[in-house]
Every structure is written in C-alpha cells, then in structure tokens.
C-alpha cells in the first residue's frame, strides 16, 4: 500500500470540503473494499477521509412508508435491526449473508452501494425496491444510480448520505454463492411495492439490472412458477473461470424462482 | 507523523504510525504482540482477527488510525495473569482443535465473539456459518466446531467446567 494522509472529519460539511479540495482524496467507511484495493495498488489516493465520525450518516429509522438507512449502517446492524426486520425482512436477511462475520462488523451499506461491485448483494435490493439514494447534493433514483461495473451516478467527491427504501408488500432474495470467494455468482431480488413488481439481478452481469420479462410474468401471476418459464438471455452476462454466461443465465431463473418463494 | 492512542489488553499506548499502517502491523511490529497472525493479508483467512471495542474484526483490514481511541483485545489478553486459560482456549486444547496452530489465534477470537453474540447458544450449523471468515488448512474444522460447542456452555454458565472430549 502506498502511504497517504488520514483525515477524520466530524461533520458532513467538513468531509465534503476535504474531498473537494483534493481530487485524489478518497472516502473510507468500513474499508472492507477500499483497503484490499489499496493493498493491490489499484489506486493511489493522496489522502483518505474517514467518514465514521459523521453523525449525519448514521441511523436506521422508519419514516411513514419508507425505511431510511444511513450510509454508515454496518451490515451487522442492518441484519439485526428490529426496524429493518419488521419493515423489510428480506433486506435484513440479505445483510446477514454478506461476506463473513468480520466483514459484516465493519462493512457499510453506503460503501457497498457506492462501490457497485457487480457481485455485491445490496445493489439488487436497492434496485429491486426502487430505493432513492440521498447524497450531500441531491436525490437519485435507483434506476439512474447504477451505471455498470463499479460505476454509479456519484460525482467525484459526492458522498452517499442515506438510502430510502419504500416498504414493499412482499420482497425476497436468493443467491448462488461462489464456493470459494463466497461472492454472488447470480442473485435475484424480487419485490412488490404499491402493486408494482420489480426484479433485480446481481452477480450475473457486468452490473445489476432489471429483468423486465420476469416483472411482467410476476405482475400477471405472483408465483415461483410464473418466472420458471422465463429464460434469461446469456448475451452480455459475465463469463469467467467460475462459470460461463450460459450457466449464469440458467442460475438467474433458478434464483428468481427461489426469491419469489422466499418472499412468500 | 500521526499518532494513535489505543488500549490493548488493558494497557494504553501511544504509537507513531503512517497513514497506511494497518492495525495488525501496529500490534505485531510496534507493540510486539505477535500472537495475532497474518495469513493472507487479503481479508480472507481470519488469522488476524482481534476484538475492537468488543467486535471481531480482521486486523489486516483496518487502519491503525481507524482504531484510534478504541479498546483492543488480542489473543495475548485472554488468559488470566496467573496463566489460567480462557474457556475457549481451554476448549481448543481439550478438543484438539489445532494442529499447526497458525489459524488458532484468529479462530479463538472469532469464536469468543460468536459465543458472546449468541446468548441462547449456537447449533453446529450456526457455528460453522459463523466461522465463515476463518480458514484452517489443517484440522478440517470438526474439532474446532466441537470445541466452540463445548466452550459456549461454560461461557454462558450452563456448565461449571468443560465437557471432556470423547476418547
Ligand atoms: C472477505 C470479503 C468478503 C466479502 N463478501 C461480500 C459479499 O458476499 N457480498 C457483498 O456484497 N460484499 C462483500 N464484501 C464487500 C463488503 O460488503 C464491503 O463492506 C463493501 O463492499 C464496502 O463497504 P465498506 O464500508 O467497507 O466500504 P469502503 O471499503 O470503505 O469503501 C468502498 C468504496 O466506496 C467509497 N465510499 C465509501 N463510503 C462512501 C460514501 N458514504 N459515499 C461515497 N463513497 C463512499 C470508497 O471511497 C470506496 O471507493 C466482502 C468483502 C470481503 C473483504
Ligand atoms: S491476514 Fe487478515 S484475513 Fe488473512
Ligand atoms: S491448525 Fe493449521 S491452519 Fe488451522
């Protein structure tokens, strides 16, 4: 790892100031993605801005028909939060399967969503639940936020502050984990919110995406059988030593079926 | 040079570090607490697990500066001053839960956190899932799982002493 300066601002305004003063500064939350990347010398920040002291990024609360989760909420907090378990049990269940105990004790929802790893879990919940990403500058709809592999609508220096999840009638998640890395090979998050059905697929493609044919099938008939007949096109899906695009395409249908069954 | 002040196994120290210094480097190289191991340095193996403010974390994946002001417990901090082992350490010995011992400090630290987070006790399956972040190249895990299952009874006060391992 190259050396860098370390800052720990006490407010969002101070963090934004530090990041806008230096284009090579990088925010750090749980560090469970950034530190491994820095060890690989994948990038060379001049300074690292630790967000963990910023109260505005904390908290999990229900506001009417929304669940608002602060960027600094750790995976373990989301997994065990009574508010999350009551409002969106599928989200708590997902958080409890991210990485391992120690990763969940440090990693945050803000870091995961800002990073947008194609094999990450949270992006499919954010897209499937039609959540809104709140930053220090604006509000971004999930459909506009994720822009392909490790790319989001966040501008350099823009900070993810919170994520607002509309509370669904039903939601479910299922994933196939890579047996070695335990990251997602293919996952599906299905949700029915205000009568509208969304299906988000993670792991299989270069970024999280909506499976609109499955959305139509589930709108007509909410049941695992309804998605069983929908084949995912393998074109454009990831192909690597862990699995071919065809294999992942097959997994998409299987995971979608399981996700609907999990949603009940 | 930046400084970190933290309390490790009850003793407070102030140490000069670089921005990039990892907590595990501070523990091993500055404080000479070499019981915490580095197996992979890529956040996978769990040999480096310590407790920071009561949570198990991979000490190779947290900056020393991120741990500023915190309470850290390492494997060296578990036994009593008179040498009496922690029930989890005792269970690892009794159940032959180690062979080369490289993974053991991290296993023990992860196991203690797991037991503390599950006051109602864990099934074998829950123990195995809870150890997902700890790799062992020698034992095949069976005896590690048995040791944790026995230790949790003592740690939760449901057993006075450790159940002996089967012959
Ligand atoms: C062994 C291991 C296994 C894992 N398995 C999984 C898994 O199965 N599923 C999964 O989804 N993830 C997995 N992860 C990744 C983990 O979930 C990370 O916690 C998460 O991806 C990043 O969160 P973080 O808080 O650690 O972010 P950091 O590492 O601190 O930051 C990640 C990136 O986001 C930026 N960033 C951080 N916070 C903000 C913010 N508030 N606003 C804007 N930008 C920000 C950083 O600059 C950096 O580029 C795994 C990690 C490890 C080490
Ligand atoms: S050395 Fe930290 S996880 Fe392997
Ligand atoms: S005892 Fe050798 S790695 Fe676990």
């Amino acid at each position: 790892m190259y050396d860098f300066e370390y800052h720990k601002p006490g407010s969002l305004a101070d963090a934004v100031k530090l990041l806008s003063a230096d284009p090579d500064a990088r925010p750090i939350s749980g560090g469970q993605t950034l530190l491994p990347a820095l060890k690989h010398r994948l990038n060379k920040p001049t300074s690292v801005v630790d967000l963990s002291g910023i109260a505005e990024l904390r908290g999990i609360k229900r506001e009417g028909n929304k669940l608002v989760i602060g960027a600094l909420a750790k995976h373990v907090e989301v997994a065990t939060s009574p508010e999350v378990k009551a409002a969106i049990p599928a989200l708590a269940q997902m958080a409890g399967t991210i990485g391992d105990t120690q990763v969940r004790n440090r990693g945050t929802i803000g870091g995961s969503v800002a990073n947008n790893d194609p094999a990450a879990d949270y992006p499919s919940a954010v897209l499937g639940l039609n959540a809104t990403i709140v930053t220090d500058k604006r509000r971004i709809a999930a459909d506009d936020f994720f822009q392909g592999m490790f790319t989001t609508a966040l501008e350099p220096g823009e900070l993810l502050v919170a994520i607002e999840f509309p509370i669904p009638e039903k939601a479910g998640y299922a994933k196939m984990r890579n047996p070695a890395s335990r990251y997602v090979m293919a996952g599906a998050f299905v949700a029915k919110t205000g009568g509208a059905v969304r299906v988000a697929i993670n792991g299989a493609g270069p970024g999280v995406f909506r499976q609109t044919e499955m959305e139509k099938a589930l709108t007509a008939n909410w049941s695992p059988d309804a998605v069983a007949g929908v084949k995912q096109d393998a074109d454009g899906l990831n192909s690597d030593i862990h699995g071919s695009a065809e294999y992942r395409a097959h997994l998409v249908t299987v995971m979608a079926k399981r996700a609907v069954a999990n949603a009940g | 040079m930046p400084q970190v002040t933290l309390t490790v196994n009850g003793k407070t120290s102030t140490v000069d570090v670089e921005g990039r210094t990892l907590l595990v480097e501070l523990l091993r190289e500055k404080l000479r607490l070499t019981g915490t191991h580095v197996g992979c340095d890529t956040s996978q193996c769990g040999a480096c697990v310590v407790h920071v403010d009561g949570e198990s974390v991979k000490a190779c994946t947290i900056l020393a500066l991120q741990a500023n002001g915190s309470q850290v417990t390492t494997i060296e901090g578990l036994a009593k001053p008179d040498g009496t082992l922690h029930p989890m350490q005792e269970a690892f010995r009794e159940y032959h839960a180690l062979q080369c011992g490289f993974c053991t400090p991290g296993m023990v630290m992860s196991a203690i956190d797991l037991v503390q987070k599950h006051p109602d006790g864990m099934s074998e399956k829950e123990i195995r899932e809870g150890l997902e972040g700890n790799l062992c190249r020698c034992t095949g895990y069976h005896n590690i799982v048995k040791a944790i299952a026995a230790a949790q009874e003592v740690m939760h006060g449901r057993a006075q002493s450790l159940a002996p391992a089967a012959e």
Side-chain angles (χ1 to χ4, degrees), chain A residues 1-6 8 28-33 35-36 39-41 48 50 52 74 76 97 99-106 177 180-182, chain B residues 2 18-22 41-44 46 49 52 55-58 60-63 65-68 109-110 113-114 117 129-134:
Chain A
M1 209 179 342
Y2 298 110
D3 198 19
F4 44 75
E5 271 182 55
Y6 169 90
K8 188 171 176 183
I28 188 168
S29 291
Q32 301 302 291
T33 291
L35 292 176
K39 288 184 188 182
H40 281 119
R41 297 188 169 177
V48 159
D50 185 348
S52 69
K74 292 174 182 163
V76 65
T97 67
D100 53 50
T101 309
Q102 289 71 38
V103 168
R104 294 194 288 276
N105 281 345
R106 300 276 315 154
R177 305 181 101 185
S181 79
R182 312 299 282 149
Chain B
E18 290 184 305
R20 64 179 165 183
T21 304
L22 299 167
D41 201 23
T42 57
S43 325
Q44 320 256 345
V49 170
V52 174
E55 304 280 344
S56 63
V57 305
K58 291 175 178 169
C60 76
T61 314
I62 170 173
L63 298 172
L65 282 155
Q66 288 178 291
N68 192 28
M109 299 312 289
S110 289
D113 184 32
L114 274 180
K117 298 264 169 66
E129 282 173 1
L131 289 182
E132 186 142 32
N134 292 82

Side-chain angles (χ1 to χ4, degrees), chain B residues 92-118:
Chain B
F92 269 61
R93 186 175 69 175
E94 171 67 18
Y95 284 78
H96 195 62
L98 59 148
Q99 289 178 24
C100 79
F102 193 85
C103 69
T104 312
M107 283 286 179
V108 169
M109 299 312 289
S110 289
I112 292 173
D113 184 32
L114 274 180
V115 170
Q116 286 170 346
K117 298 264 169 66
H118 293 85

